[in-house]
Structure formats: structure tokens, C-alpha cells
Amino acid sequence: MGDLAEQVKVIQRSDPGAKQAWWDYCDTHLGGVKDPSRHEASVLQEFLNGYNSGAIQHATPQPQKGGGKGGSKGGAYTMGGGGGGGVGWGGGGFPMGGGMGMGGMGMGGM
């Protein structure tokens, strides 16, 4: 199977339209799993046969969501803010500031 997975990877690297064709195929037929090494040889062979025969056409690359590998999908976790400084809770022990804010006001200096 490794050889077929490598063939699919080579096709993806050859042309952005070929990569989009693989991605579209994955989204439609393979539950969105785009890593060729995670699919059975018969699935890869089916894609390669369709691609090589012209039954699976090059596709127009779509803008990608997120930032790809290592990219951020939003600010679910942020550093800083939250706690008040001074005596009591907040501002202490957390990198980059922050602290244990209470309702956004913090308990520092209370």
C-alpha cells in the first residue's frame, strides 16, 4: 500500500488542481480523511484509476480554512488579562500575566 500512497502524494505535489481533486474525492467518498497512508490499497487504486483515466478531473483549488499545519483556528485560549494585580488573587503565578479573574474583574486589591 505504501507505493500507492506515495503515488497519490506525488500527484498532489504535482499540481494544486490535482491536490484539490484528491481532497474533493476524500471529502465525498472517504469521510474527509486526506492522508493517503490511512486508506486501503483498493481505495487508493480506485482514485488513481479514475484520475489517470480522466474520470476524476483536476479541480480548482479552494481557499483553505485555518492555517494549515500549526495554524490557529481562533482564540480559544489566550494569555493575559483576566485577573487584577496587587494583593490577593490575580496576577500571580501565571505566565504572561492573567490570573483567576472573577466575572472579568479579578480579585486583586480587594
Side-chain angles (χ1 to χ4, degrees):
M1 177 172 63
D3 193 34
L4 292 174
E6 188 58 34
Q7 287 180 45
V8 173
K9 289 179 182 184
V10 167
I11 288 171
Q12 289 184 76
R13 289 184 207 118
S14 70
D15 174 25
K19 181 176 185 175
Q20 188 64 49
W22 168 250
W23 283 24
D24 290 348
Y25 186 82
C26 292
D27 288 341
T28 303
H29 302 287
L30 306 174
V33 178
K34 295 174 177 68
D35 182 355
S37 65
R38 296 189 56 201
H39 296 292
E40 297 291 326
S42 60
V43 170
L44 300 175
Q45 190 63 60
E46 183 178 318
F47 171 79
L48 290 168
N49 290 343
Y51 182 81
N52 291 329
S53 72
I56 297 175
Q57 301 287 322
H58 279 85
T60 303
Q62 301 296 317
Q64 293 190 15
K65 298 176 186 172
K69 287 186 177 178
S72 174
K73 290 190 174 189
Y77 297 100
T78 58
M79 300 296 278
V87 181
W89 292 4
F94 291 93
M96 306 288 295
M100 300 294 293
M102 297 288 289
M105 295 185 59
M107 291 194 57
M110 293 190 103

